[in-house]
Amino acid sequence: MTYPEIAAFTLLALLPTPATPTYPWLARQPQPAECLHRRFVAPAGCQRQAVRPGSWGEWLRGLPLRPAGTPARLYDGRLKDNQAVVAAVVDIAPGTRDLQQCADAVIRLRAEYLFSQNPNRIHFHLTTGYDTWFSDYLAGHTFQVHGEEVKAAAKPAEAITHAALERYLLPVFGYAGTRSLSREVRPVPLAEVQPGDVLVHGGRPGHAVLVVDVAENSQTGRRYLLLAQSYMPAQSIHLLRNVAQPKLGAWFAVPSPAQAEFETPEWTFASTELGRFED
């Protein structure tokens, strides 16, 4: 192993786990008033589901939001056509290429969370099944795609930086998608939904929506979700507005077990299409 490779792995090992959620792409960490959980109070009669400190769910609950009324924009700066479904815009850039679409937005947020906790855990499968690790990327290993075949390739080793994470993610966005994301998560019943779970329909076309918060009515047991997505073309990650039930604002009631589908503003999922990352 070369010195740059050793240095990269040493830095990964020495990174401390933050005591409070951090958002590595920001120049400054968000003020409490800018966080998702402050903007969106739980529905009447509901309490937010408990989450473990340092967990994926706690991190999502603290996501920084752009000022109320900020429109969602495409990667090229144009406005998203359907602004009616946008309840808030997450303070994270969509990039300048048509890459950070629906599944990629989930991958981006998951990678940012892991980068803030333990970068050694960052890895994603491509649609072909190829498993690409961030630690390998830092050590000088990447991949090239030849037709339908993915082959290992060499690159210069580098130190761990957020810029390196962004470079690692670009080809992942290009060769991963809803099909690979649907295999990246394990199925869980919709009735057991937790913050950080993913509604994902793998295919072409497919779609993915991230559950960023969960609240529950203690009297009825009904759960309500806040949902975030990107879409096609690549665009701002945004919280969805419940246009079918405006009184709920951005919250969506979990369908009863008898219902076969879960309708979101721009995609209808089967009730069986919920998955969870392994912690």
Side-chain angles (χ1 to χ4, degrees), residues 75-273:
Y75 68 96
D76 58 8
R78 290 178 295 145
L79 290 172
K80 172 182 171 69
D81 286 340
N82 192 1
Q83 294 290 329
V85 305
V86 179
V89 172
V90 178
D91 190 7
I92 189 169
T96 58
R97 298 164 63 183
D98 189 12
L99 288 174
Q100 194 171 288
Q101 299 180 1
C102 57
D104 311 299
V106 177
I107 291 170
R108 171 75 188 278
L109 291 176
R110 181 68 179 176
E112 295 282 3
Y113 163 69
L114 293 174
F115 187 84
S116 75
Q117 296 286 313
N118 180 0
N120 277 315
R121 294 177 56 202
I122 299 173
H123 75 108
F124 298 98
H125 291 83
L126 309 182
T127 300
T128 61
Y130 187 90
D131 194 4
T132 177
W133 287 78
F134 182 48
S135 56
D136 287 342
Y137 181 86
L138 293 176
H141 309 292
T142 185
F143 65 87
Q144 292 180 346
V145 178
H146 304 274
E148 297 296 318
E149 189 175 2
V150 180
K151 293 184 177 180
K155 60 172 283 294
E158 56 186 300
I160 181 171
T161 63
H162 190 264
L165 176 68
E166 292 179 323
R167 288 191 292 273
Y168 158 81
L169 286 172
L170 286 177
V172 175
F173 292 164
Y175 295 104
T178 55
R179 193 178 300 279
S180 59
L181 181 61
S182 67
R183 298 192 295 257
E184 200 84 63
V185 294
R186 62 178 176 84
V188 291
L190 190 53
E192 298 175 11
V193 61
Q194 297 177 4
D197 290 348
V198 186
L199 285 161
V200 55
H201 178 82
R204 295 183 178 179
H207 192 43
V209 169
L210 181 62
V211 179
V212 293
D213 210 349
V214 179
E216 184 172 342
N217 186 306
S218 60
Q219 299 298 316
T220 65
R222 192 78 181 268
R223 290 187 179 183
Y224 297 83
L225 313 180
L226 290 178
L227 304 173
Q229 68 165 28
S230 177
Y231 206 59
M232 296 180 291
Q235 57 196 251
S236 309
I237 301 175
H238 52 278
L239 271 70
L240 287 166
R241 186 183 308 281
N242 192 336
V243 293
Q245 295 180 285
K247 290 183 178 179
L248 286 176
W251 293 92
F252 293 78
V254 173
S256 71
Q259 293 178 261
E261 295 179 331
F262 187 171
E263 185 175 348
T264 70
E266 294 187 307
W267 194 272
T268 299
F269 295 92
S271 293
T272 55
E273 291 183 315

